[in-house]
């Protein structure tokens, strides 16, 4: 009798382990969905108006970006944050396997010719899980309701930030000009459209 119960328990445990392994295999190695289409690039120079250069430090920009994240994502508990150091560091957590798992992403900012920004992934971790980098970005894309001008692209392991298409209440247009984090030299061009001035 005991031997029969032992066999049933062994088979049940073995079947459960096989099921978990197959589930993890499917989650990790299933093909990623196609990359989100990047927006058509806009150039603030195409619109009439006055342009100004604004310079910032890593500390000031970090504070501004984190305030925006708190408001845009309704992140009252400070679940997500960004730190500008040698690279852009993103901290937060995503729900995976019915648990909140801490996530850490390190990305290199690359200014595009039109002033948009690509954050190219360099280092990434999801708790203690050793997952492919594109899978981690997939979890981020599902967990965060990003604005339309932020495109998370797991296939290319990057985040495209169309700053030229940010919806700013004042109707100002913005483009990144320089992001040199190592030397703490950050600058943006701001266009004040003529129409905004009532001219």
């Amino acid at each position: 009798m005991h031997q029969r119960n032992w066999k049933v328990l062994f088979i049940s445990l073995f079947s459960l382990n096989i099921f978990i392994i197959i589930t993890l295999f499917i989650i990790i190695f299933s093909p990623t969905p196609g990359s989100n289409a990047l927006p058509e690039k806009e150039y603030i120079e195409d619109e009439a108006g006055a342009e100004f250069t604004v310079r910032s430090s890593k500390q000031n920009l970090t504070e501004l970006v984190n305030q925006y994240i708190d408001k845009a994502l309704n992140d009252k508990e400070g679940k997500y944050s960004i730190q500008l150091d040698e690279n852009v560091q993103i901290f937060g957590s995503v729900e995976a396997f019915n648990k909140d798992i801490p996530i850490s992403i390190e990305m290199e900012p690359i200014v595009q010719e039109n002033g948009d920004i690509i954050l190219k992934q360099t280092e990434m971790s999801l708790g203690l899980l050793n997952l492919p980098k594109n899978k981690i970005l997939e979890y981020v894309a599902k967990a965060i309701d990003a604005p339309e001008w932020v495109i998370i692209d797991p296939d290319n392991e990057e985040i495209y930030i169309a700053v030229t298409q940010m919806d700013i209440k004042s109707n100002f247009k913005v483009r990144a000009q320089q992001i040199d984090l190592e030397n703490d030299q950050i600058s943006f061009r701001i266009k004040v459209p003529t129409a905004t001035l009532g001219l």
Side-chain angles (χ1 to χ4, degrees):
M1 184 71 176
H2 291 294
Q3 186 175 3
R4 185 176 177 185
N5 287 340
W6 178 85
K7 287 182 179 180
V8 169
L9 288 173
F10 175 80
I11 292 171
S12 298
L13 184 59
F14 180 76
S15 300
L16 179 61
N17 284 333
I18 293 295
F19 174 76
I20 291 173
I21 290 171
I22 291 174
T23 302
L24 286 174
F25 184 85
I26 291 172
I27 290 173
I28 294 172
F29 295 103
S30 60
T32 60
S35 300
N36 291 327
L38 296 180
E40 186 175 339
K41 289 185 177 180
E42 292 186 7
Y43 294 81
I44 68 171
E45 295 83 2
D46 293 341
E47 189 169 349
E51 285 191 27
F52 302 90
T53 299
V54 176
R55 303 189 186 283
S56 179
S57 66
K58 289 187 286 190
Q59 180 179 350
N60 288 338
L61 189 56
T62 295
E63 292 175 2
L64 179 64
V65 171
N66 282 319
Q67 288 173 6
Y68 178 84
I69 289 174
D70 291 345
K71 185 174 182 179
L73 301 181
N74 195 25
D75 187 21
K76 297 178 181 177
E77 299 177 358
K79 187 175 180 181
Y80 302 101
S81 66
I82 284 181
Q83 178 66 43
L84 300 182
D85 195 4
E86 296 298 315
N87 276 324
V88 178
Q89 298 173 354
I90 304 172
F91 303 99
S93 64
V94 297
E95 186 175 332
F97 314 112
N98 294 322
K99 292 184 178 180
D100 277 339
I101 300 179
I103 189 168
S104 173
I105 307 172
E106 189 170 313
M107 311 192 89
E108 176 189 1
I110 304 169
V111 176
Q112 303 301 288
E113 78 279 0
N114 74 322
D116 288 343
I117 301 170
I118 286 181
L119 296 179
K120 195 70 179 176
Q121 176 181 312
T122 55
E123 297 291 334
M124 183 172 289
S125 66
L126 181 62
L128 299 176
L129 299 177
N130 186 21
L131 298 180
K133 291 180 179 179
N134 62 340
K135 283 295 174 185
I136 297 177
L137 268 188
E138 269 191 53
Y139 281 116
V140 173
K142 292 176 183 176
I144 297 177
D145 186 18
E148 292 181 359
W149 47 272
V150 176
I151 296 92
I152 300 174
D153 187 353
D155 287 348
N156 292 313
E157 299 179 5
E158 65 187 28
I159 299 175
Y160 190 95
I161 304 177
V163 293
T164 56
Q165 299 182 33
M166 290 173 58
D167 186 16
I168 301 176
K169 289 182 179 179
S170 60
N171 291 325
F172 291 179
K173 297 291 184 179
V174 179
R175 62 159 291 166
Q177 182 168 284
Q178 179 186 25
I179 301 180
D180 180 357
L181 297 180
E182 185 175 349
N183 296 305
D184 201 10
Q185 295 181 355
I186 303 168
S187 62
F188 292 85
R189 295 287 290 175
I190 296 180
K191 166 70 67 78
V192 181
T194 302
T196 301
L197 302 175
L199 301 176

mmCIF file of all heavy atoms in Angstrom, residues 46 78 87 97-98 126 131 172:
data_model
loop_
_atom_site.group_PDB
_atom_site.id
_atom_site.type_symbol
_atom_site.label_atom_id
_atom_site.label_comp_id
_atom_site.label_asym_id
_atom_site.label_seq_id
_atom_site.Cartn_x
_atom_site.Cartn_y
_atom_site.Cartn_z
ATOM 1 N N ASP A 46 11.422 72.347 -39.312
ATOM 2 C CA ASP A 46 10.469 72.532 -40.415
ATOM 3 C C ASP A 46 9.351 73.515 -40.071
ATOM 4 O O ASP A 46 8.615 73.953 -40.949
ATOM 5 C CB ASP A 46 9.855 71.179 -40.816
ATOM 6 C CG ASP A 46 10.890 70.241 -41.434
ATOM 7 O OD1 ASP A 46 11.947 70.750 -41.866
ATOM 8 O OD2 ASP A 46 10.639 69.032 -41.474
ATOM 9 N N GLY A 78 6.362 55.213 -6.260
ATOM 10 C CA GLY A 78 7.745 55.276 -6.733
ATOM 11 C C GLY A 78 8.266 53.937 -7.191
ATOM 12 O O GLY A 78 9.425 53.585 -6.949
ATOM 13 N N ASN A 87 25.563 55.858 -17.784
ATOM 14 C CA ASN A 87 24.518 55.526 -18.741
ATOM 15 C C ASN A 87 23.172 55.825 -18.102
ATOM 16 O O ASN A 87 23.104 56.292 -16.966
ATOM 17 C CB ASN A 87 24.604 54.047 -19.161
ATOM 18 C CG ASN A 87 25.608 53.821 -20.280
ATOM 19 O OD1 ASN A 87 25.749 54.654 -21.172
ATOM 20 N ND2 ASN A 87 26.305 52.706 -20.241
ATOM 21 N N PHE A 97 5.293 35.387 -13.313
ATOM 22 C CA PHE A 97 5.026 34.197 -12.504
ATOM 23 C C PHE A 97 4.260 34.565 -11.234
ATOM 24 O O PHE A 97 4.512 34.053 -10.145
ATOM 25 C CB PHE A 97 6.331 33.465 -12.148
ATOM 26 C CG PHE A 97 7.262 33.285 -13.317
ATOM 27 C CD1 PHE A 97 8.473 33.945 -13.372
ATOM 28 C CD2 PHE A 97 6.905 32.458 -14.374
ATOM 29 C CE1 PHE A 97 9.324 33.786 -14.451
ATOM 30 C CE2 PHE A 97 7.760 32.291 -15.458
ATOM 31 C CZ PHE A 97 8.958 32.954 -15.495
ATOM 32 N N ASN A 98 3.319 35.536 -11.378
ATOM 33 C CA ASN A 98 2.449 35.997 -10.296
ATOM 34 C C ASN A 98 3.218 36.650 -9.140
ATOM 35 O O ASN A 98 2.752 36.659 -8.005
ATOM 36 C CB ASN A 98 1.593 34.838 -9.756
ATOM 37 C CG ASN A 98 0.610 34.340 -10.793
ATOM 38 O OD1 ASN A 98 0.045 35.126 -11.539
ATOM 39 N ND2 ASN A 98 0.417 33.028 -10.844
ATOM 40 N N LEU A 126 16.503 40.695 -14.519
ATOM 41 C CA LEU A 126 15.137 40.529 -14.022
ATOM 42 C C LEU A 126 15.206 39.590 -12.831
ATOM 43 O O LEU A 126 15.215 38.369 -12.979
ATOM 44 C CB LEU A 126 14.231 39.961 -15.116
ATOM 45 C CG LEU A 126 12.755 39.746 -14.760
ATOM 46 C CD1 LEU A 126 12.092 41.070 -14.418
ATOM 47 C CD2 LEU A 126 12.015 39.059 -15.891
ATOM 48 N N LEU A 131 17.272 35.474 -18.185
ATOM 49 C CA LEU A 131 16.460 35.443 -19.399
ATOM 50 C C LEU A 131 17.160 36.201 -20.522
ATOM 51 O O LEU A 131 17.974 37.077 -20.271
ATOM 52 C CB LEU A 131 15.095 36.098 -19.141
ATOM 53 C CG LEU A 131 14.184 35.455 -18.097
ATOM 54 C CD1 LEU A 131 12.896 36.249 -17.992
ATOM 55 C CD2 LEU A 131 13.877 34.009 -18.448
ATOM 56 N N PHE A 172 5.211 73.918 -27.403
ATOM 57 C CA PHE A 172 6.626 73.991 -27.726
ATOM 58 C C PHE A 172 7.065 72.663 -28.345
ATOM 59 O O PHE A 172 6.492 71.610 -28.076
ATOM 60 C CB PHE A 172 7.467 74.239 -26.465
ATOM 61 C CG PHE A 172 7.292 75.613 -25.875
ATOM 62 C CD1 PHE A 172 7.980 75.967 -24.714
ATOM 63 C CD2 PHE A 172 6.455 76.553 -26.446
ATOM 64 C CE1 PHE A 172 7.832 77.221 -24.154
ATOM 65 C CE2 PHE A 172 6.293 77.811 -25.893
ATOM 66 C CZ PHE A 172 6.984 78.140 -24.735
#
